[in-house]
Amino acid sequence: MYFKFEVCYKSFSFFNPSPNVPPHRYFCRRMKNIRNFCIIAHIDHGKSTLADRLLEFTHTISDRDMHAQVLDNMDLEREKGITIKSHAIQINYPYKGENYTLNLIDTPGHVDFSYEVSRALAACEGALLLVDASQGIQAQTISNLYLAIDNNLEIIPVVNKIDMEGANIEVTQDQIIDLIGCKKEDILLASGKSGIGIEEILAAIIERIPAPKGDTEAPLQALIFDSVFNSFRGIIIYYRIMNGVLKKGDKIRFASTGQDYFADEVGVLKLTMTPKNEVRAGDVGYIITGIKVAKEVKVGDTVTLANNPGEMIKGFEEVKPMVFAGIFPVETDAFEELRDCMDKLQLNDASLTFELETSQALGFGFRCGFLGLLHMEIIQERLEREFNQTVITTVPNVSFIAYTSRGDKIVVNNPAEMPEPTKLDMIEEPYIRAHIVTAAEYIGNIMTLCLGKRGILINQSYLTPTRVELIFELPLTEIVFDFYDKLKSQTRGYASFDYHPIGYRESDIIKMDILLNGEKVDALSALIHRAKSHEFGRKLCEKLKDLVPRQQFQIAIQAAIGAKVVARENISAMRKDVTAKCYGGDISRKRKLLEKQKEGKKRMKQIGNVEVPQEAFLAVLKLD
């Protein structure tokens, strides 16, 4: 029947049983057979494996092309076992005598990539809520569920990995019922690894998730939810059509920029891009216009027709960077090449933001905004693997708001932007609300960790007799470096963590400078709370003493707050034994040689440069 509808809108006279039935009726029936859905879950709960089974069961992918994590096309995703980017693919599936088109958008599970999840949810009508039967409800499960509810999505709960030895199906079902208030019979049981319950999931997608709503006669409105860069064809845009029809050769317009282009190719997303003559309301597809400039395409923008423009789609979530760090090329000549690489990388990862920055120690580079520390690590690895760029990453920090004595408001993303203490009235730092789900036996460890990070306990509730959810309000500064690693070690890996920003609060934040031989190294400067500054400075100086190589002269490493030095370490000089040639004799002869050497060291120190290795910039991350 799907084939008949395709023929129908190419030639109405070929398939139209009654001349009194208008052709748009067939398009409406076709739209009823479309389902747009995504899979949301905590990290490592089996999203990618379940997606593999769905594609395999529906014969979307041949056995020859099938491999594990088929939608994770980056080496990094397979190595780390996580999904970093959203991936869209179209599935055709016959059900009760009709052919259905299912558009699956696979989403990441890590807290750092919640922006990718929000983009996928904006293009869907329903979601599979996946919960691991052996791990139960986790923090990111709850977070992603709230995102889906905010987007008015139909939720289909699925208990995955039911064939594992540690599976506790009954308890997991009870947790889901308590969380979303569904009936027990609404919860599906499945195993992505062995393929149990796949047919039931496909039936539930068709029966429970509503068909997309849209008017093919209305002006074109297409929501951009992703884009990738192809060196031969330019920028490829992925979108979901809300209203209207997009045809090959149409002159299109981007609502936010007002730029016009021609649609050189349009189509749908199967395992590879499949060209079509037109894509209609309710469909998920791609468009190629030959755009080469990255800044002209914005995720969340609306594509419409130039000759009949529609309104811009509202309510799409903008990216909010949480962690800032500088990225600099190792060789200053490679700056322009790094700029091109950053532009292309931003197309594949719309949550990356960057702007030009200059450092006295490192030269020209970029101040980048990331969603979290894992996101920063992924970006650095992708620059090295995909673009062969060797870069130096500076100490990460968060964004502060400074108020001067004149009443000016300054957003401080970099320690160098901090006003002088004499001109500063007050400073505000960002706070987050953290949700931690863990076993009851680890409550004491988590309390000690969070309270030591200046946290405030807001709520403590038991999900089951053995699982507890703790809610804290914490300064984002305290969780940027090592909070997640410490949380995992304190709870033996049995705690899950999720957070969202709740605004700015006044705090006693100061700027700490690191000096090498009296010269400030701006790339090592940090903004930190005054109560922890002395301990932080001492540990950092000790760490740098091990990392900075010895020279022919003594090196002084100092941590300073303004003009006050709070910590110091000395790296002793490599010395030659100049008195070795003296055999006995008067002591004045030896003293004369030592004084001569001392004068030479002093002159060398005046003109000597200290090379700071890459490990020193990340030493702050490894402080205990």
Side-chain angles (χ1 to χ4, degrees):
M1 189 173 291
Y2 180 81
F3 173 74
K4 288 181 181 178
F5 296 150
E6 289 285 313
V7 174
C8 158
Y9 67 73
K10 289 177 185 175
S11 173
F12 297 125
S13 58
F14 179 80
F15 182 75
N16 197 344
S18 170
N20 298 323
V21 180
H24 67 79
R25 288 274 184 87
Y26 298 106
F27 301 140
C28 293
R29 288 177 60 192
R30 177 180 173 272
M31 199 182 297
K32 286 181 181 177
N33 289 14
I34 295 175
R35 300 291 184 271
N36 298 317
F37 73 101
C38 60
I39 306 174
I40 55 174
H42 189 79
I43 186 172
D44 199 31
H45 277 209
K47 294 176 301 301
S48 298
T49 309
L50 183 69
D52 289 349
R53 296 292 81 76
L54 290 171
L55 300 177
E56 193 175 46
F57 185 84
T58 56
H59 305 292
T60 303
I61 295 178
S62 64
D63 294 338
R64 183 179 64 182
D65 296 327
M66 194 65 207
H67 56 80
Q69 291 176 266
V70 70
L71 292 181
D72 294 345
N73 51 20
M74 276 192 278
D75 292 337
L76 269 175
E77 291 181 311
R78 295 201 178 93
E79 285 175 21
K80 293 181 178 288
I82 59 174
T83 301
I84 294 169
K85 278 192 63 60
S86 300
H87 299 275
I89 191 165
Q90 189 178 94
I91 301 169
N92 292 326
Y93 181 64
Y95 181 72
K96 292 185 178 179
E98 294 191 43
N99 286 317
Y100 286 85
T101 301
L102 313 178
N103 290 309
L104 161 64
I105 302 178
D106 187 29
T107 61
H110 195 278
V111 61
D112 277 12
F113 302 108
S114 56
Y115 180 67
E116 293 279 336
V117 178
S118 73
R119 296 191 307 174
L121 295 176
C124 296
E125 279 82 31
L128 297 180
L129 179 68
L130 211 60
V131 182
D132 188 330
S134 59
Q135 296 183 42
I137 297 287
Q138 300 285 308
Q140 191 66 16
T141 315
I142 299 169
S143 173
N144 286 340
L145 174 66
Y146 291 157
L147 281 174
I149 291 171
D150 288 343
N151 281 271
N152 297 316
L153 266 60
E154 179 67 32
I155 308 295
I156 300 175
V158 180
V159 177
N160 195 26
K161 304 185 184 181
I162 60 170
D163 53 347
M164 286 184 67
E165 287 185 9
N168 200 336
I169 300 170
E170 291 287 334
V171 172
T172 308
Q173 285 178 322
D174 291 340
Q175 289 178 16
I176 294 172
I177 292 167
D178 291 340
L179 186 64
I180 63 176
C182 64
K183 297 177 181 176
K184 192 171 184 177
E185 53 267 25
D186 293 337
I187 302 172
L188 304 177
L189 304 180
S191 169
K193 189 172 183 180
S194 56
I196 300 170
I198 300 300
E199 196 169 353
E200 289 79 5
I201 289 174
L202 288 165
I205 290 167
I206 293 169
E207 291 178 356
R208 297 195 210 173
I209 295 176
K213 295 177 182 177
D215 185 1
T216 54
E217 305 298 319
L220 176 66
Q221 284 181 303
L223 173 69
I224 301 174
F225 67 85
D226 205 356
S227 61
V228 294
F229 183 81
N230 184 295
S231 54
F232 299 104
R233 311 199 68 180
I235 297 165
I236 302 169
I237 301 162
Y238 298 157
Y239 56 83
R240 152 75 193 279
I241 297 188
M242 301 300 184
N243 290 301
V245 180
L246 177 60
K247 297 180 182 178
K248 181 179 178 180
D250 278 347
K251 189 176 184 181
I252 62 166
R253 177 173 296 167
F254 293 120
S256 67
T257 62
Q259 299 283 344
D260 292 352
Y261 302 94
F262 285 98
D264 299 333
E265 182 179 312
V266 299
V268 295
L269 297 158
K270 297 202 173 181
L271 185 58
T272 57
M273 293 183 294
T274 306
K276 297 275 186 183
N277 286 329
E278 61 182 41
V279 187
R280 309 182 69 80
D283 281 330
V284 174
Y286 73 92
I287 181 172
I288 298 173
T289 60
I291 302 172
K292 297 285 186 181
V293 183
K295 293 178 181 176
E296 293 180 19
V297 178
K298 295 181 180 179
V299 171
D301 198 1
T302 303
V303 177
T304 185
L305 295 178
N307 58 359
N308 185 19
E311 293 182 3
M312 188 171 182
I313 299 167
K314 297 180 181 178
F316 194 79
E317 184 179 339
E318 288 292 329
V319 61
K320 296 174 184 173
M322 304 292 283
V323 175
F324 295 86
I327 289 183
F328 296 84
V330 173
E331 298 176 4
T332 52
D333 296 343
F335 171 71
E336 288 299 332
E337 187 181 349
L338 179 62
R339 187 204 293 271
D340 293 339
C341 295
M342 294 291 286
D343 281 335
K344 292 172 183 176
L345 190 56
Q346 191 179 42
L347 276 172
N348 291 321
D349 187 350
S351 50
L352 169 67
T353 61
F354 63 90
E355 59 184 23
L356 187 64
E357 184 184 40
T358 309
S359 165
Q360 295 174 358
L362 302 173
F364 289 104
F366 297 98
R367 190 74 185 167
C368 303
F370 307 99
L371 299 178
L373 279 184
L374 176 66
H375 187 211
M376 185 180 84
E377 182 187 334
I378 294 293
I379 292 296
Q380 190 174 351
E381 287 200 38
R382 288 186 70 186
L383 280 171
E384 291 179 2
R385 292 190 187 201
E386 298 175 25
F387 300 100
N388 296 319
Q389 293 291 311
T390 307
V391 296
I392 293 173
T393 308
T394 63
V395 177
N397 63 276
V398 302
S399 178
F400 299 89
I401 296 177
Y403 294 89
T404 64
S405 51
R406 292 183 175 182
D408 297 330
K409 179 181 175 181
I410 302 170
V411 178
V412 180
N413 293 329
N414 185 341
E417 298 171 2
M418 175 72 96
E420 291 297 322
T422 53
K423 299 177 182 176
L424 192 64
D425 181 28
M426 70 169 188
I427 189 164
E428 293 180 342
E429 66 175 326
Y431 266 70
I432 55 122
R433 176 161 290 188
H435 295 255
I436 300 171
V437 178
T438 185
E441 61 199 86
Y442 300 116
I443 292 176
N445 293 351
I446 293 173
M447 289 279 193
T448 304
L449 174 64
C450 292
L451 295 176
K453 297 284 188 181
R454 297 191 284 132
I456 304 165
L457 179 64
I458 300 301
N459 191 25
Q460 175 181 331
S461 58
Y462 281 81
L463 302 172
T464 68
T466 57
R467 293 175 67 77
V468 64
E469 181 187 25
L470 300 167
I471 300 176
F472 285 90
E473 288 184 355
L474 287 155
L476 184 59
T477 324
E478 298 289 344
I479 70 161
V480 160
F481 300 124
D482 57 356
F483 179 81
Y484 194 64
D485 292 336
K486 285 187 176 179
L487 179 67
K488 285 294 183 185
S489 62
Q490 293 281 353
T491 59
R492 300 181 185 178
Y494 284 105
S496 60
F497 171 68
D498 179 57
Y499 65 88
H500 63 271
I502 56 172
Y504 286 77
R505 297 180 186 175
E506 186 178 349
S507 187
D508 190 10
I509 299 293
I510 50 94
K511 177 186 176 184
M512 175 171 284
D513 293 310
I514 299 297
L515 292 80
L516 294 180
N517 278 346
E519 295 291 327
K520 289 183 182 179
V521 183
D522 58 348
L524 284 173
S525 298
L527 298 171
I528 190 167
H529 195 269
R530 190 181 297 274
K532 298 197 170 186
S533 58
H534 288 67
E535 183 185 4
F536 178 84
R538 180 178 54 80
K539 287 183 177 180
L540 187 54
C541 287
E542 290 172 358
K543 194 79 175 178
L544 289 173
K545 183 180 179 181
D546 297 332
L547 293 171
V548 175
R550 291 173 69 190
Q551 305 288 334
Q552 294 289 339
F553 51 90
Q554 179 178 304
I555 301 171
I557 303 172
Q558 296 170 305
I561 302 170
K564 182 184 178 184
V565 175
V566 296
R568 173 175 174 140
E569 292 288 338
N570 291 326
I571 301 175
S572 57
M574 292 189 290
R575 299 176 67 92
K576 179 183 176 183
D577 188 3
V578 291
T579 62
K581 60 187 178 183
C582 296
Y583 295 97
D586 189 43
I587 189 66
S588 61
R589 175 65 180 159
K590 293 184 179 180
R591 191 173 289 126
K592 182 180 177 183
L593 288 170
L594 289 169
E595 289 296 325
K596 188 178 178 182
Q597 185 189 41
K598 189 176 178 182
E599 289 297 319
K601 295 283 184 186
K602 193 179 290 183
R603 287 196 305 272
M604 191 184 293
K605 186 176 180 179
Q606 288 173 357
I607 60 171
N609 291 321
V610 182
E611 292 185 359
V612 184
Q614 159 73 0
E615 292 80 14
F617 295 110
L618 296 179
V620 67
L621 297 177
K622 301 185 177 75
L623 295 179
D624 295 327

